[in-house]
Amino acid sequence: MHSGTDSPGSTAGPGGDTTDGPGFPEPAADERATGRATITDVARVAGVSVATVSKVVNGRYGVAAATAERVLGVVADLGYESSLVARSLRRRQTNVIGVLVAEFEPFSTELLKGISAAIAGTGYELLAYCGDAGRSDHVGWERRSLSRLAGTLIDGVVIVTPTLALPQHDGVPIVAIDPHTGPTGPATVDSDNLGGARTATEHLIGLGHTRIGYLGGRADLESARLRELGFKEAMAAAGLTPDPSLVLEGGYRPDRSDRPTHDLLERPDRPTAVFAANDLSAIHVIQVAQELGLRVPEDLSVIGFDDVPEAAGCTPPLTTVAQSLHEMGAEALRMVIAMLESGPSAGHHTRLPTRLVQRSSTAPPPS
């Protein structure tokens, strides 16, 4: 019977299985130091060589079926997981796809749900990494994250809203969702931000609103630029000229949109409707309006963009333009896998349609 201390030259284990011969790598140092189950523990309990365990967990040939079944039973009992770092050093791949986000907020969380559902059955695993939490130097967070993870822990990566144009990183396939710079550089997935903003504005105009406030996103984001452009194009097409004092930046965040929201709603000639460039800002507009004694939608109509789960749950439920967030995440994942398996040429730029979701936060203007 072989134990976990088999010499590198061992030739046979139970069932006639052969080892890998001299030079098989020792368990990774991080496995030995953490107290978790190691490949040596599995070999000892299963009564086989370390090399046999390696063959079983890596799906390689040369192990009898009964032996493989016994080893897998021990793996399950002990909760053994091969170190990703050790696996990447041995095989030059981890079968792990990373998803890099600046923070876990509703938009990125919905994308992650789509990615998580799409990865089932692909043979790949998922690593979600928050690269900007608590940092003041927001720009460049994705490059810092890539330098830590690419080539060691992950084989390919989906980056949500990167702040910079990204070159390919040491051959690691990259797909950017909603990139700051639009469809340039690596493969990208985004939504029809321009058309969706037009649809939102046309909805308000169709209800009879002519004095419409616009609460935009971050000035450095291509999606924010396109949404503002769509708002202005729809107004112009209806023969309306937006009041420049009603077009403000909200930064896609409730904390940053609070002051401009008050500026819009506390003025004596306030707008009868507000189009906020994302749902979290739109929900904050509703909250501020209610604090000021305004009824939504009787006194003020509010429309958002994204259709995150919070949109349907607020009071009143938010009318919004829906992005296919789950499908955006799934498409980005499929693209990364295609690039891993077929080469960089499998990457491309995908733009998904948007649609209007009418709920209870919009109505004709007060007479």
Side-chain angles (χ1 to χ4, degrees):
M1 178 178 289
H2 288 269
S3 71
T5 58
D6 288 350
S7 65
S10 299
T11 58
D17 301 311
T18 59
T19 70
D20 289 341
F24 186 81
E26 291 295 320
D30 59 342
E31 287 183 339
R32 293 195 302 267
T34 58
R36 69 187 184 189
T38 69
I39 193 170
T40 304
D41 297 327
V42 175
R44 175 177 51 77
V45 175
V48 299
S49 69
V50 169
T52 297
V53 177
S54 175
K55 287 182 179 180
V56 173
V57 299
N58 289 295
R60 304 203 315 259
Y61 297 108
V63 181
T67 303
E69 184 176 354
R70 183 169 75 254
V71 169
L72 290 175
V74 173
V75 166
D77 290 342
L78 296 183
Y80 169 72
E81 285 288 347
S82 176
S83 163
L84 285 178
V85 174
R87 190 195 312 174
S88 69
L89 291 173
R90 291 194 297 265
R91 299 166 54 195
R92 301 300 299 168
Q93 67 183 63
T94 64
N95 276 20
V96 174
I97 294 174
V99 182
L100 308 186
V101 301
E103 59 180 320
F104 293 112
E105 36 69 46
F107 177 79
S108 61
T109 300
E110 292 304 300
L111 293 171
L112 277 168
K113 290 178 183 177
I115 295 171
S116 178
I119 206 167
T122 64
Y124 290 91
E125 300 173 8
L126 194 63
L127 173 68
Y129 185 86
C130 180
D132 195 45
R135 298 185 69 107
S136 58
D137 52 339
H138 176 84
V139 174
W141 66 268
E142 62 288 323
R143 290 191 173 180
R144 293 189 292 268
S145 300
L146 276 172
S147 68
R148 294 187 181 101
L149 304 178
T152 303
L153 292 178
I154 58 177
D155 295 336
V157 61
V158 175
I159 303 181
V160 178
T161 317
T163 59
L164 300 170
L166 293 170
Q168 290 294 345
H169 190 282
D170 295 331
V172 175
I174 297 173
V175 175
I177 296 179
D178 189 25
H180 282 219
T181 55
T184 61
T188 64
V189 178
D190 64 9
S191 290
D192 184 7
N193 291 289
L194 181 68
R198 284 182 186 146
T199 298
T201 309
E202 290 165 355
H203 171 68
L204 295 175
I205 294 171
L207 290 171
H209 295 277
T210 58
R211 188 165 174 78
I212 302 172
Y214 179 76
L215 192 59
R218 284 181 16 212
D220 62 323
L221 267 177
E222 177 72 354
S223 64
R225 186 189 71 80
L226 289 173
R227 291 176 196 182
E228 182 173 336
L229 179 60
F231 163 71
K232 291 179 177 178
E233 286 186 352
M235 292 285 281
L240 300 172
T241 302
D243 182 340
S245 68
L246 298 182
V247 179
L248 304 177
E249 181 182 330
Y252 282 153
R253 298 175 61 99
D255 55 344
R256 289 185 57 184
S257 66
D258 183 69
R259 184 64 264 165
T261 297
H262 279 272
D263 290 343
L264 285 173
L265 300 188
E266 291 179 345
R267 54 189 295 161
D269 57 345
R270 61 174 173 78
T272 62
V274 173
F275 172 21
N278 73 327
D279 285 346
L280 295 185
S281 296
I283 292 169
H284 190 67
V285 171
I286 292 176
Q287 294 169 343
V288 171
Q290 292 169 341
E291 291 169 2
L292 296 175
L294 299 173
R295 298 169 301 163
V296 177
E298 292 85 357
D299 300 320
L300 178 75
S301 287
V302 181
I303 191 168
F305 202 112
D306 286 339
D307 198 28
V308 297
E310 289 82 351
C314 70
T315 304
L318 180 68
T319 297
T320 188
V321 173
Q323 299 191 79
S324 301
L325 297 179
H326 289 188
E327 179 57 25
M328 287 173 69
E331 176 60 22
L333 177 77
R334 288 191 289 264
M335 206 180 298
V336 169
I337 292 175
M339 294 167 72
L340 283 168
E341 298 179 351
S342 303
S345 61
H348 52 274
H349 304 297
T350 298
R351 178 158 291 166
L352 299 178
T354 55
R355 60 186 175 85
L356 179 68
V357 179
Q358 296 189 51
R359 297 194 179 100
S360 306
S361 66
T362 53
S367 54

